[in-house]
Amino acid sequence: MLHYVLHAGSVPWQDQLLYAGLIIAVIAVVFFGLWWRKRASRPQQGDFAALVQQGNVAEALEAQAQSPLADAADAWQETRHTMENVKTGVERFLALILSLLSGLLCLISVLAVFSDIWHFPPSDWGTFAFYMVLGGVTAWFTRVKWRDFRGRK
């Protein structure tokens, strides 16, 4: 989060306003889509044929009496749940990408250590130690990101 705060000044305010507007527009479209679907799925007042098709007539009559404001509250809860699912999906996708990239760097580090053992190409102890430490850190990071991707803590 601090990264975004520090670099927010380098992005023009017009772009920030555009991005904020796009995010708000997407949330509004999801909300109104869920609200419209909830209102459209409810039988209209006096539509007895639709009431008979419902499983429980008493619940269908009660659902007819609900106000659009109650539907909006339900749609808002569904919108929040949907946005949390999207956020979780994006986080998992980024964890997978970081896991794959750090795994690749770990593989490169391990190969560098093995090639240094057989002295091809010849290098010094500092480079050998650097690749050993880099391999260990990237192996740990790969494990952490893989667990994040799998949803474990």
Side-chain angles (χ1 to χ4, degrees), residues 2-68:
L2 182 62
H3 169 76
Y4 297 112
V5 172
L6 292 175
H7 291 84
S10 65
V11 178
W13 68 270
Q14 295 92 345
D15 290 346
Q16 291 180 5
L17 190 62
L18 174 69
Y19 298 145
L22 288 174
I23 291 170
I24 290 171
V26 166
I27 292 172
V29 165
V30 169
F31 169 75
F32 284 116
L34 291 170
W35 179 71
W36 179 80
R37 188 179 69 179
K38 186 168 277 297
R39 290 300 297 169
S41 69
R42 182 163 295 136
Q44 295 297 320
Q45 198 77 355
D47 188 5
F48 296 109
L51 285 175
V52 173
Q53 291 176 351
Q54 300 290 324
N56 189 345
V57 176
E59 287 179 6
L61 281 171
E62 183 181 322
Q64 273 186 343
Q66 273 191 333
S67 70

Side-chain angles (χ1 to χ4, degrees), residues 3 10-11 13 16 26 37-38 48 65 71-72 74 80 85 91-93 107 119-120 123 127 130 136 140 142 145-146:
H3 169 76
S10 65
V11 178
W13 68 270
Q16 291 180 5
V26 166
R37 188 179 69 179
K38 186 168 277 297
F48 296 109
D71 289 336
D74 290 341
R80 290 181 63 202
N85 286 342
E91 287 173 350
R92 289 185 69 195
F93 176 73
L107 179 67
H119 301 292
F120 178 78
S123 61
T127 306
F130 170 75
W140 171 80
T142 301
K145 286 301 163 188
W146 184 253

Side-chain angles (χ1 to χ4, degrees), residues 133-153:
V133 169
L134 185 64
V137 169
T138 55
W140 171 80
F141 190 75
T142 301
R143 178 181 169 270
V144 168
K145 286 301 163 188
W146 184 253
R147 288 175 65 99
D148 286 349
F149 170 69
R150 303 258 332 257
R152 296 182 183 162
K153 294 294 175 190

Side-chain angles (χ1 to χ4, degrees), residues 51-123:
L51 285 175
V52 173
Q53 291 176 351
Q54 300 290 324
N56 189 345
V57 176
E59 287 179 6
L61 281 171
E62 183 181 322
Q64 273 186 343
Q66 273 191 333
S67 70
L69 190 58
D71 289 336
D74 290 341
W76 180 248
Q77 292 300 325
E78 289 180 28
T79 302
R80 290 181 63 202
H81 181 69
T82 302
M83 290 299 129
E84 285 296 321
N85 286 342
V86 167
K87 177 183 168 191
T88 303
V90 168
E91 287 173 350
R92 289 185 69 195
F93 176 73
L94 290 175
L96 176 65
I97 296 299
L98 288 173
S99 175
L100 293 174
L101 290 175
S102 63
L104 180 65
L105 185 58
C106 180
L107 179 67
I108 291 169
S109 299
V110 167
L111 290 175
V113 167
F114 282 143
S115 71
D116 195 41
I117 290 173
W118 285 287
H119 301 292
F120 178 78
S123 61

